[in-house]
Amino acid sequence: MVLNFQCLFLFLSFCSSVSEAIQKHRKSLANWFLQQPNEERQFGPSFALDSIHVDPVIRESSLEEILKPSPDLTIQNQLQASCNQTIALQNLFDLNACGQQVKNVVLYGTVGTGKSTLIKKMVMDWCHERLPRFELLIPFSCEDLSQSHAPISLRRMITKKYLHLREVVPALGTTNLRVLFVLNGLDRLNLDFRLAHTELCCDPNEPILPSAIVVNLLRKYMMPEVLRRIPSKFVGRYVEVCGFSDINLQKLYFQMRLRQPRCVGVSGPPTAEEASEQDNLLEMLSRNLERHNQIAAACFLPSYCWLVCTTLHFLYFTKSVPPAQTLTGIYTSFLRLNFSGEVLDSTDPSNISMMKYVAKTVGKLAYDGVMSRQTSFSEEDLRRCFEVEMKTESELNLLNVFRSDVFRFFLTPCVQSGKEHTFVFTIPAMQEYLAALYVVLGEKKTLTQRVGKEVSEIIGKVSEDVAVVISIVSKVLPLRILPVLFNLIKIFPRYFSRFGSKDRDTIAHTMAVEMFKEEDYFNDDVLDQINFSILGVEGPMRHPDDASDDEVFELFPIFMGGLLSRRNRAILDQLGCSIKNLAAFEIAKAMKKTVIRNSRKGLPPSELMDYLFFLHEFQNERFTAEAIQSLRTINLSSVKMTPLKCSVLASVVGTTNHEVEELNLGSCHLDVNRLRILFPVLLRCKKLHLQQNNLGPEACKEIRDLLLHEKCVVSTLRLADNPVMEQGARYLAEGLAGNSSLSHLSLLHTSLGNRGVEAITQHLAQNQHLRELDVAYNSVTDRAALALVEEAKRHATLEMVHLYFNEISEEGKQALHEMRKDQNSIRVLIFLTMGADVSDYWATILNVVQKNLPIWDRDRVRQHLGLFLEDLQCSRRQTANPWKKAKFMRVENEVKRMLGDLERGTL
């Protein structure tokens, strides 16, 4: 809550020393308010307040509107209410409807609508002389004032915080200096306007409590529930901050944010590729907002716009290894930005923090939803969750404060057709985050566990204060069994202290079970799910009446792991949600065996990516090293490896130095930049699958450096179906010449051409370890093919060369056949026949063709299969052996089947 009020408003020519002090004050405030919070610094200097600010909609309101009970406590209806009384920030102190000068303005709004940012921007505007109405602006944090319980005078309060105003303060009561006081977070002060409790005081030198100073300033007596507690006669104008109720403001905010995200340490303007990526992101996000889906509803709150932008920045602009941020860290920082260390109700003696209450209530609703695979909730669900433990007047008051101030920040009406009367979490992932927080904080306890924890905490005070024991235990157990309880305490004093550890076992068990739930298998990995929820899905939209896909809740265990990281625990502690170091250690210890055992079973690629992401979020190198040590085969084929995923893979695998037997990154959208991120991992892989990516000549230069590295252990390298081309082949040939580990190299369908194959042939003699070389389907003609096989014959270790699907003539085929007769070690795969017999590798060739049909040119495949068929039929006619004829017929039928499938389009 923010209160802005003006004391004296007539112009005055004041002395030069006062003018110099105020100019110093402007500079000091500008420097202070330009300081970015940690949540912003990680995204670079371009995210400064001056460069990305968009004013939210603000409208003139009244005390009657504030006090009027709302039939719908949801943020969307509040923000979509008529804003025909909008008012500009610079007009807040204009004359009101009655023609009276406005002196005090109360600025209010729901959590996340942008109040604090708006006030920061107003202070910056004054510092840059864009608010000429006021000669002096003095901001105060009511959170700071609330911590002071000693009397202090107004003048001392000002000079204590702003020492350079000591020459200006005497002029405040004696000149017509126009001053604007800004009190940010007025709800932190318990203001009492009753004369019996807050005496009148007009002397700015008289020491009184800070809250009393504020009351007297509002009374206008000093220097001639917050809104509900301020009598309306002291308020000149009520102004409500409505957030981005205009979707164009949302789009403007996203444009300003996403068009300048340069990572820390990267200077200069965005490259053409980066600019294009930014434009594509904006276009997809804009289309998704225009569909009026749940993300659009959430982005009425500027704070959720921040969360969307921060998440997209994390997903698309992570260039470091390891990433400086985690997804859990983003959500934890988001809550700190919105709630800081706020308590739910400053008048309640329990002094419970806002986030602790949210974790206990909304977290329970979120957890119940995750367990029952439920994302929308009825009014009855909300009542059952929030009101189940309401037993005292204090608890009911806390619930009322929560429903009026915080509820609509987390839950909003569902916009999906047919579910308009249900509620969903404003951002889908927030449900899983709060569910994870509910579990990790130990709120998911059995009755016995609650008794154990509470009794163990006061077990040493039994003889001192029995009433304390009775008051605690009576909340969870009937009084009739208290004698039995006390007997147990006397006999087994350590019995109840054991239940604290059972909470940790429960958390560990929940994390492990959720992580490896089989019904979630074969879904998109969680990073893609988040991406889809923000940007939508490319292609045709699903009809609103169609049944939605089943929710998989794969973020839930990942958030649980992330919340246990040291950084997130430190932030949660600031929010009043403490997780002890010992508890985090014991949870990790309890779940280690289950995690390692299940990871050895072999996970589908998308699930394996989730597992790696969980380990990264956990931010526990020792735990990760033990979990990864047993992971010898990593299959991530067909997972779209963004820079972030590459960074996560490199970070996680980098916790150990063991060799990886096999790494499959086929069809993963890799490019040269992503190869650079993965370089340390690739060095340690024996079998490396990089087929069907976008690896051109520049990427081949990286692969050359990989092969020439002294620590390289790659023995099998598959680069099939990449645009390697001639220049790429030259780089690979250089790497091949100096490498001592590679034994199998596949360059199938890589556009090498004759010159590319010739480059490899020239360097082949310098290699002494290669055993198999595949240059099939590369438009190679007779001369290059013959030269390669001639060199292969002289090679010390080479055993097999693949040359099928090339442009080799009948004469070339015959020449190769003759060359093959002259040696016994080299095997050349060209056609499906070997002289008068079927090639021993016919199945290998046809399997390669079958597997690559979706990406190969079908007309060319059809042409080569036709040549295969003619060759088989010719050889069959020339042999008299019935067994060989039968073998030819079998292979012919297989080729005919493939040709038929091609004609029918079924392959």
Side-chain angles (χ1 to χ4, degrees):
M1 206 71 64
V2 180
L3 170 68
N4 309 317
F5 61 93
Q6 170 186 5
C7 294
L8 303 172
F9 4 83
L10 297 177
F11 282 110
L12 179 72
S13 298
F14 41 93
C15 65
S16 60
S17 62
V18 171
S19 175
E20 290 173 4
I22 290 178
Q23 289 304 318
K24 185 176 180 181
H25 182 56
R26 288 184 193 271
K27 184 177 180 180
S28 176
L29 280 184
N31 291 336
W32 177 257
F33 277 85
L34 272 178
Q35 293 294 319
Q36 296 175 316
N38 291 335
E39 289 79 4
E40 294 284 44
R41 285 187 200 140
Q42 60 192 319
F43 304 115
S46 62
F47 284 79
L49 184 66
D50 279 352
S51 63
I52 53 87
H53 180 72
V54 177
D55 282 334
V57 173
I58 56 177
R59 70 182 184 94
E60 191 161 0
S61 181
S62 65
L63 185 62
E64 289 72 21
E65 282 191 59
I66 297 169
L67 297 176
K68 182 174 62 178
S70 173
D72 191 342
L73 292 177
T74 57
I75 186 65
Q76 188 185 13
N77 284 0
Q78 180 198 31
L79 294 181
Q80 287 180 321
S82 172
C83 286
N84 52 7
Q85 293 181 297
T86 57
I87 185 171
L89 189 64
Q90 61 268 28
N91 302 128
L92 292 182
F93 294 92
D94 288 353
L95 300 179
N96 61 19
C98 300
Q100 298 173 331
Q101 178 68 54
V102 171
K103 300 178 181 179
N104 300 341
V105 174
V106 169
L107 186 69
Y108 72 96
T110 302
V111 175
T113 48
K115 301 182 300 297
S116 296
T117 305
L118 189 67
I119 293 307
K120 289 178 183 177
K121 182 60 166 57
M122 185 170 71
V123 172
M124 290 301 299
D125 283 348
W126 180 81
C127 292
H128 297 310
E129 302 187 11
R130 292 194 288 265
L131 283 179
R133 171 173 289 184
F134 308 106
E135 283 89 1
L136 180 62
L137 182 145
I138 304 177
F140 279 107
S141 165
C142 292
E143 181 180 2
D144 291 342
L145 297 181
S146 67
Q147 302 302 314
S148 176
H149 304 293
I152 189 173
S153 70
L154 174 63
R155 288 179 177 174
R156 175 58 183 149
M157 191 168 77
I158 295 173
T159 55
K160 183 179 178 181
K161 186 167 185 179
Y162 305 107
L163 181 63
H164 45 271
L165 289 181
R166 61 186 180 277
E167 298 176 359
V168 181
V169 167
L172 293 181
T174 59
T175 65
N176 292 330
L177 187 67
R178 298 198 312 173
V179 182
L180 174 66
F181 283 90
V182 177
L183 297 177
N184 189 13
L186 196 61
D187 48 343
R188 298 299 184 92
L189 292 175
N190 293 321
L191 302 183
D192 195 333
F193 286 83
R194 293 173 295 180
L195 290 177
H197 292 81
T198 305
E199 62 178 336
L200 295 174
C201 179
C202 62
D203 184 0
N205 296 307
E206 177 71 21
I208 56 178
L209 291 175
S211 59
I213 292 177
V214 174
V215 169
N216 279 286
L217 285 171
L218 278 167
R219 287 170 172 162
K220 303 182 184 65
Y221 197 72
M222 183 176 286
M223 296 177 62
E225 166 164 51
V226 179
L227 268 55
R228 295 173 176 81
R229 293 176 193 156
I230 303 176
S232 59
K233 62 181 178 180
F234 299 142
V235 180
R237 175 170 283 137
Y238 293 94
V239 176
E240 180 182 14
V241 182
C242 296
F244 293 156
S245 51
D246 183 349
I247 197 171
N248 290 320
L249 292 178
Q250 300 176 34
K251 292 183 177 181
L252 178 60
Y253 180 92
F254 290 132
Q255 287 174 0
M256 296 181 73
R257 275 274 181 174
L258 295 176
R259 279 222 163 94
Q260 48 181 328
R262 298 290 288 175
C263 297
V264 177
V266 178
S267 60
T271 64
E273 183 180 355
E274 289 173 332
S276 175
E277 185 176 26
Q278 293 166 17
D279 290 340
N280 290 337
L281 282 178
L282 283 168
E283 178 63 26
M284 289 187 67
L285 182 58
S286 178
R287 288 203 303 266
N288 207 25
L289 291 173
E290 289 170 357
R291 293 170 181 169
H292 303 291
N293 63 6
Q294 211 63 52
I295 291 292
C299 288
F300 279 104
L301 289 173
S303 61
Y304 276 105
C305 289
W306 180 91
L307 181 59
V308 167
C309 281
T310 306
T311 304
L312 286 176
H313 193 279
F314 174 69
L315 291 174
Y316 285 91
F317 302 113
T318 297
K319 307 294 184 187
S320 59
V321 181
Q325 180 61 283
T326 65
L327 187 66
T328 314
I330 288 174
Y331 277 76
T332 307
S333 298
F334 169 73
L335 293 176
R336 179 169 64 178
L337 281 173
N338 284 280
F339 296 103
S340 187
E342 293 183 31
V343 296
L344 183 63
D345 185 358
S346 57
T347 63
D348 188 85
S350 68
N351 213 34
I352 186 171
S353 76
M354 187 86 77
M355 276 312 303
K356 182 71 172 178
Y357 191 86
V358 168
K360 290 168 68 73
T361 54
V362 186
K364 183 180 187 304
L365 178 73
Y367 176 76
D368 291 344
V370 169
M371 291 298 101
S372 60
R373 310 318 236 188
Q374 177 184 358
T375 56
S376 59
F377 306 90
S378 64
E379 289 275 7
E380 181 57 33
D381 292 330
L382 303 183
R383 247 189 317 272
R384 185 170 59 251
C385 185
F386 296 148
E387 300 174 12
V388 66
E389 295 183 0
M390 295 297 105
K391 296 179 180 179
T392 66
E393 181 70 17
S394 175
E395 289 171 335
L396 190 58
N397 287 339
L398 285 176
L399 178 65
N400 288 334
V401 172
F402 166 75
R403 288 185 67 90
S404 62
D405 292 349
V406 188
F407 169 82
R408 50 196 169 191
F409 180 77
F410 291 102
L411 290 154
T412 191
C414 183
V415 299
Q416 187 177 338
S417 178
K419 293 186 177 181
E420 291 86 353
H421 300 293
T422 62
F423 297 86
V424 296
F425 280 83
T426 311
I427 290 283
M430 186 60 73
Q431 176 180 351
E432 296 173 76
Y433 179 90
L434 292 177
L437 186 61
Y438 175 77
V439 173
V440 170
L441 288 176
E443 296 298 331
K444 179 182 171 288
K445 305 184 191 78
T446 64
L447 181 66
T448 312
Q449 287 171 338
R450 287 201 300 271
V451 173
K453 184 176 181 180
E454 292 172 334
V455 171
S456 64
E457 288 175 353
I458 49 84
I459 200 166
K461 300 181 181 180
V462 172
S463 59
E464 299 174 16
D465 193 351
V466 177
V468 174
V469 180
I470 295 175
S471 65
I472 292 176
V473 178
S474 63
K475 290 184 177 182
V476 291
L477 285 179
L479 289 175
R480 65 178 180 273
I481 69 170
L482 282 179
V484 178
L485 178 65
F486 283 121
N487 287 333
L488 286 173
I489 291 174
K490 291 175 184 176
I491 299 171
F492 306 108
R494 297 183 181 178
Y495 174 77
F496 291 99
S497 63
R498 298 174 184 172
F499 287 104
S501 63
K502 294 204 174 195
D503 282 345
R504 301 179 192 117
D505 288 339
T506 301
I507 295 169
H509 177 72
T510 302
M511 292 170 70
V513 168
E514 283 298 314
M515 192 185 311
F516 296 103
K517 272 195 172 179
E518 292 187 3
E519 62 264 30
D520 289 351
Y521 275 15
F522 303 109
N523 289 291
D524 292 320
D525 63 75
V526 292
L527 294 175
D528 284 341
Q529 291 179 42
I530 296 169
N531 184 74
F532 291 160
S533 70
I534 296 175
L535 299 179
V537 183
E538 294 282 13
M541 288 180 57
R542 189 180 64 226
H543 191 275
D545 296 333
D546 292 345
S548 60
D549 297 332
D550 291 337
E551 300 292 341
V552 293
F553 298 103
E554 291 174 313
L555 268 175
F556 173 50
I558 288 173
F559 277 141
M560 279 193 284
L563 287 170
L564 295 175
S565 71
R566 186 180 298 275
R567 180 180 181 275
N568 286 316
R569 281 188 283 122
I571 297 176
L572 287 171
D573 191 57
Q574 297 171 20
L575 295 173
C577 301
S578 297
I579 304 171
K580 304 300 182 185
N581 285 333
L582 182 60
F585 173 78
E586 292 186 358
I587 292 168
K589 181 180 176 182
M591 72 175 297
K592 186 178 297 179
K593 291 182 180 178
T594 306
V595 169
I596 294 175
R597 183 176 63 251
N598 283 278
S599 66
R600 287 174 179 167
K601 293 179 180 178
L603 298 172
S606 62
E607 295 298 317
L608 179 57
M609 189 68 239
D610 292 348
Y611 175 63
L612 297 173
F613 190 60
F614 164 82
L615 293 175
H616 169 69
E617 291 281 317
F618 205 15
Q619 293 287 289
N620 184 324
E621 287 196 8
R622 183 176 176 182
F623 181 96
T624 299
E626 292 188 41
I628 286 297
Q629 191 73 34
S630 61
L631 197 64
R632 299 288 174 164
T633 299
I634 302 175
N635 181 11
L636 295 172
S637 61
S638 301
V639 172
K640 185 176 181 180
M641 294 298 291
T642 62
L644 172 62
K645 292 177 188 175
C646 293
S647 298
V648 168
L649 175 60
S651 171
V652 171
V653 178
T655 56
T656 71
N657 57 7
H658 77 283
E659 291 182 0
V660 178
E661 291 295 329
E662 186 170 1
L663 174 61
N664 190 342
L665 294 174
S667 303
C668 287
H669 300 264
L670 295 179
D671 58 20
V672 61
N673 295 320
R674 294 166 203 193
L675 277 185
R676 287 172 182 150
I677 296 173
L678 291 171
F679 193 92
V681 178
L682 304 182
L683 279 175
R684 294 157 45 193
C685 298
K686 291 184 177 179
K687 293 183 179 179
L688 184 55
H689 301 265
L690 298 176
Q691 64 271 19
Q692 297 179 25
N693 283 290
N694 188 33
L695 306 178
E698 284 301 308
C700 290
K701 187 187 294 185
E702 292 294 318
I703 296 172
R704 175 199 63 186
D705 296 341
L706 173 73
L707 294 174
L708 293 176
H709 198 283
E710 60 181 5
K711 293 183 179 180
C712 177
V713 298
V714 177
S715 61
T716 298
L717 176 60
R718 302 196 181 280
L719 287 169
D721 299 296
N722 280 293
V724 170
M725 298 186 284
E726 177 189 341
Q727 184 56 50
R730 295 186 184 280
Y731 291 133
L732 292 176
E734 293 172 13
L736 191 63
N739 176 268
S740 59
S741 64
L742 196 64
S743 60
H744 295 77
L745 175 62
S746 174
L747 295 172
L748 169 74
H749 193 221
T750 50
S751 305
L752 300 181
N754 283 331
R755 291 188 177 181
V757 171
E758 288 168 357
I760 292 173
T761 302
Q762 290 168 8
H763 290 77
L764 198 55
Q766 298 168 273
N767 177 280
Q768 298 300 316
H769 299 85
L770 196 65
R771 294 171 54 195
E772 182 177 355
L773 176 64
D774 188 348
V775 290
Y777 203 162
N778 274 296
S779 303
V780 179
T781 59
D782 297 1
R783 179 173 55 83
L786 288 166
L788 176 61
V789 175
E790 187 67 40
E791 185 62 45
K793 286 174 58 179
R794 294 190 291 269
H795 198 277
T797 59
L798 196 58
E799 300 172 355
M800 185 179 296
V801 177
H802 298 250
L803 279 167
Y804 46 88
F805 267 37
N806 280 302
E807 311 301 326
I808 301 173
S809 66
E810 285 297 323
E811 292 77 10
K813 176 190 170 186
Q814 187 62 38
L816 288 169
H817 182 65
E818 293 298 323
M819 289 174 64
R820 188 166 52 193
K821 289 180 180 179
D822 297 337
Q823 50 81 38
N824 298 318
S825 59
I826 188 73
R827 289 169 290 179
V828 183
L829 281 64
I830 310 172
F831 284 87
L832 299 184
T833 59
M834 291 180 64
D837 202 351
V838 176
S839 169
D840 292 338
Y841 304 101
W842 70 267
T844 302
I845 296 173
L846 291 184
N847 283 338
V848 170
V849 175
Q850 180 94 13
K851 187 169 61 176
N852 288 280
L853 274 177
I855 57 173
W856 284 359
D857 181 84
R858 296 201 165 206
D859 289 336
R860 187 172 178 185
V861 171
R862 189 180 294 108
Q863 176 186 351
H864 280 281
L865 286 176
L867 292 174
F868 281 173
L869 187 59
E870 291 177 9
D871 190 56
L872 286 166
Q873 290 170 342
C874 179
S875 297
R876 176 171 54 84
R877 286 192 295 266
Q878 292 176 4
T879 183
N881 188 319
W883 297 108
K884 288 186 177 182
K885 284 183 178 288
K887 195 173 182 181
F888 276 116
M889 287 293 294
R890 179 187 172 193
V891 181
E892 283 180 43
N893 289 335
E894 188 66 25
V895 174
K896 287 178 181 178
R897 181 190 63 77
M898 294 179 68
L899 281 168
D901 289 341
L902 271 175
E903 293 295 336
R904 293 187 294 271
T906 56
L907 274 178

